Amino acid sequence: MKINSVLSNGKVVSQSKAKLKTEAVNLYYGSFQALRNISLEIPERAITAIIGPSGCGKSSFLRIFNRMNDLITGARVEGRVELDDINIYDKSIDVVELRKRVGMVFQKPNPFPMSVFENVAFGPRRHGKNNIGELEDIIERSLHQAALWDEVKDKLGQSALSLSGGQQQRLCIARVLAVEPEIILMDEPCSALDPMATLKIEELMRSLAENYTIVIVTHNMQQAARVSDMAAFLMMEEDRAGVLVEYGPTSELFTNPKDKRTEDYITGRFG
Amino acid sequence: MEIRTTFHKKLREIQDEVLVMGSMVGKAITSSVKALKERDLDLAHQIISDDLKVNQKRFEIEEKCVELIATQQPMASDLRIIIAILNITTEIERIGDYAMGIARIVIMIGDEPPLKPLIDVPRMAEQTVDMLRRSLDAFINRDAEAVKKIAAEDDLVDNLYDQIFRELLVFMAENPKTITRATRLIWTAHNLERAADRVTNICERVVFIVTGKMEEIGASKY
């Protein structure tokens, strides 16, 4: 699919290359087909939202990009999934290295039961960084990027569980940023947060999109509309397999969708 | 602390574009009367072709408003600003049409000798353009008091129009050969009178942004 549109941050997508690409992807859980024939290109340094009714395979699709589905017994992917033109399902791919490049933020904030500092230091330590000066730099940078530094700089030693829900989620984003990924996958990152904390995360996403490629799954259509540059609408076919109905610039998908099924979904006529 | 900085930045950008559009149209009105005064047919043609750019600008602004409504779910004053912009750009676009109307009259008049020195028509244009400029300043500053005063100044434009109308009636009564030229000047004055009325509509939209109330202010006698 050719992507050429001006993003909300003024960038022209056709000039920013596709960071991720799927070609005729099928996903099976045992004999059940969860996704069918999905081909799309996700632009670099932009936010792409995946929307669709419950059970249409949004989260399954997101987990393809860091091979999280590998952890599910019986899961099988057909087709090509490329990161920077390299097939990430190739036998030569180191999955640990892949997940360092493709970070993930989950629905519920899930900080480790340790200090704020140790939460963010966890990833870098696992990747062999133990110099405390270097770790301090990484932690300050990551917390700044996650728009959390000012709120926690005086309590880095406190338990992460003492933070509010919104702060915990930004801590989880800082934890992802600490290992310097290129892509951040977000699986309904605001569904456990109140409206103000949600707006803060959305604004944070916009600033992160300057440097990172973000893919977000959300059941909140308004959030997809507010925050994303590109939007993909998935829905289930009769055999319950998820298919891609429409994919394009968010401004077009929400003002003038090409497919009647998209129109019906976003106007609340089904779903 | 402002949270929705990205959205508010986009909203400010649209308001800047409204100002640009207002200044394009203000210039068109001034030029149209200049073209009439100096019998500058080139300038008249230029005004007509520039009106396409004004229309284009209006569509661009409208599209951006539609996109913001669809994607950002604006609320309260943010929503009122966007709705007001949709109305204000329509009014500005129509003022642009009046400038184009005058330019067409200039072309119709061609090189006919002037009926009389133009004094009140340029005054009407000056007053109208000044009201337009100040109404858009008040729009940016959310100044409901200022726009009430500006709308009241529409009476000055109406009075000038009355004066021009009476004066030209005398010309026509005294010498029927002047009827064609006098009628064209009346059309010109009428375009300016309508343009000033459109400015009062912009003023009403500014009141709506500030108070949330839709009310008529400074109703024109025409």
Side-chain angles (χ1 to χ4, degrees):
Chain A
M1 170 169 221
K2 177 78 181 155
I3 314 168
N4 57 350
S5 178
V6 178
L7 304 184
S8 58
N9 58 12
K11 271 185 296 201
V12 178
V13 185
S14 58
Q15 288 171 358
S16 73
K17 68 181 184 92
K19 184 74 180 170
L20 292 166
K21 192 156 126 187
T22 67
E23 267 177 33
V25 161
N26 294 312
L27 171 70
Y28 298 88
Y29 295 123
S31 60
F32 167 64
Q33 183 165 14
L35 296 171
R36 178 180 295 123
N37 195 27
I38 297 194
S39 301
L40 55 73
E41 292 186 4
I42 290 174
E44 187 173 38
R45 294 181 188 191
I47 301 176
T48 300
I50 319 281
I51 60 168
S54 297
C56 71
K58 303 185 290 289
S59 294
S60 294
F61 182 62
L62 191 71
R63 289 197 297 258
I64 277 179
F65 296 115
N66 64 350
R67 292 186 50 176
M68 285 275 283
N69 291 320
D70 291 12
L71 305 174
I72 299 166
T73 319
R76 181 163 54 87
V77 173
E78 288 175 359
R80 274 179 81 83
V81 182
E82 293 178 2
L83 193 174
D84 287 340
D85 303 322
I86 309 283
N87 185 4
I88 62 169
Y89 281 83
D90 193 271
K91 283 196 179 67
S92 65
I93 293 292
D94 174 353
V95 178
V96 173
E97 188 57 28
L98 172 72
R99 291 186 191 146
K100 183 172 177 291
R101 293 176 69 189
V102 187
M104 192 159 191
V105 177
F106 298 88
Q107 187 168 352
K108 277 200 182 150
N110 55 353
F112 304 132
M114 44 180 81
S115 70
V116 171
F117 186 96
E118 285 305 324
N119 262 276
V120 187
F122 191 85
R125 279 196 209 278
R126 294 265 301 192
H127 290 283
K129 291 199 167 92
N130 284 307
N131 178 304
I132 192 75
E134 195 184 355
L135 281 175
E136 280 172 353
D137 287 347
I138 291 172
I139 281 148
E140 183 170 346
R141 173 183 56 76
S142 307
L143 289 169
H144 264 300
Q145 278 186 303
L148 188 59
W149 175 252
D150 290 340
E151 292 163 58
V152 300
K153 64 184 175 197
D154 298 324
K155 39 186 172 183
L156 295 176
Q158 279 184 25
S159 166
L161 301 175
S162 68
L163 302 178
S164 72
Q167 288 173 328
Q168 287 187 12
Q169 193 63 310
R170 278 179 283 147
L171 180 67
C172 293
I173 293 172
R175 198 170 60 187
V176 167
L177 297 173
V179 294
E180 297 181 39
E182 295 157 49
I183 296 161
I184 305 170
L185 307 177
M186 296 185 162
D187 193 353
E188 302 196 3
C190 301
S191 58
L193 304 181
D194 68 64
M196 292 319 273
T198 297
L199 288 177
K200 272 190 198 169
I201 299 268
E202 289 176 5
E203 208 52 44
L204 168 60
M205 289 172 68
R206 288 284 5 140
S207 71
L208 291 175
E210 302 279 321
N211 298 304
Y212 301 90
T213 302
I214 297 175
V215 189
I216 176 175
V217 158
T218 174
H219 59 221
N220 179 340
M221 224 165 4
Q222 286 72 27
Q223 175 169 64
R226 281 194 298 270
V227 82
S228 68
D229 300 297
M230 299 288 289
F233 171 54
L234 264 57
M235 64 178 278
M236 266 187 289
E237 292 206 314
E238 280 186 4
D239 63 354
R240 297 184 54 228
V243 294
L244 177 65
V245 174
E246 185 162 349
Y247 178 51
T250 302
S251 56
E252 283 176 26
L253 197 108
F254 284 94
T255 55
N256 191 16
K258 302 285 171 285
D259 194 293
K260 182 159 189 317
R261 291 168 296 174
T262 316
E263 171 94 28
D264 288 347
Y265 180 68
I266 64 176
T267 55
R269 289 185 168 79
F270 91 89
Chain B
M1 186 188 86
E2 187 182 38
I3 296 178
R4 302 190 67 184
T5 47
T6 312
F7 165 53
H8 288 131
K9 182 167 164 274
K10 282 189 192 172
L11 195 52
R12 278 194 298 277
E13 284 168 2
I14 296 181
Q15 292 173 73
D16 288 347
E17 289 194 53
V18 173
L19 291 187
V20 170
M21 189 182 167
S23 124
M24 288 161 85
V25 164
K27 187 174 157 235
I29 290 280
T30 306
S31 301
S32 68
V33 173
K34 182 168 183 273
L36 178 68
K37 226 173 156 179
E38 299 175 4
R39 301 301 167 93
D40 188 339
L41 297 186
D42 290 341
L43 183 57
H45 284 289
Q46 185 64 46
I47 293 162
I48 292 168
S49 69
D50 282 351
D51 190 59
L52 288 175
K53 293 180 196 158
V54 173
N55 297 349
Q56 192 55 41
K57 191 87 194 155
R58 179 250 184 118
F59 289 137
E60 280 170 24
I61 293 171
E62 278 193 3
E63 270 176 26
K64 287 180 182 174
C65 288
V66 168
E67 186 186 322
L68 276 195
I69 292 170
T71 62
Q72 299 299 320
Q73 304 100 41
M75 296 289 168
S77 63
D78 288 341
L79 178 62
R80 295 203 301 276
I81 290 166
I82 296 177
I83 298 297
I85 289 172
L86 289 172
N87 286 297
I88 289 172
T89 48
T90 307
E91 302 294 351
I92 298 175
E93 192 269 328
R94 288 311 303 255
I95 296 173
D97 288 347
Y98 295 128
M100 186 170 70
I102 295 170
R104 290 220 166 100
I105 293 168
V106 172
I107 293 167
M108 260 188 253
I109 294 173
D111 55 4
E112 281 174 24
L115 186 59
K116 62 183 275 299
L118 286 177
I119 296 162
D120 290 333
V121 166
R123 268 191 204 151
M124 278 182 90
E126 221 170 277
Q127 175 68 27
T128 303
V129 171
D130 188 49
M131 285 166 64
L132 172 64
R133 184 184 54 73
R134 283 184 292 131
S135 72
L136 293 177
D137 282 349
F139 157 66
I140 295 295
N141 298 326
R142 315 279 185 257
D143 192 339
E145 292 311 308
V147 289
K148 284 179 185 166
K149 286 185 195 132
I150 297 164
E153 290 175 28
D154 182 47
D155 288 349
L156 301 176
V157 179
D158 288 349
N159 291 342
L160 283 167
Y161 179 56
D162 285 344
Q163 203 170 308
I164 290 166
F165 185 69
R166 279 195 307 269
E167 207 179 342
L168 291 168
L169 276 187
V170 174
F171 267 95
M172 292 189 278
E174 283 176 355
N175 180 4
K177 282 185 181 159
T178 64
I179 288 177
T180 308
R181 281 179 290 162
T183 307
R184 284 171 181 161
L185 282 182
I186 291 174
W187 290 346
T188 303
H190 182 68
N191 273 298
L192 293 170
E193 189 279 318
R194 294 299 301 142
D197 286 349
R198 296 281 172 178
V199 176
T200 65
N201 292 346
I202 294 174
C203 294
E204 286 167 4
R205 295 298 152 178
V206 175
V207 172
F208 170 67
I209 292 174
V210 178
T211 66
K213 293 196 179 89
M214 299 204 193
E215 53 180 305
E216 190 150 3
I217 51 173
S220 172
K221 63 194 270 194
Y222 292 104

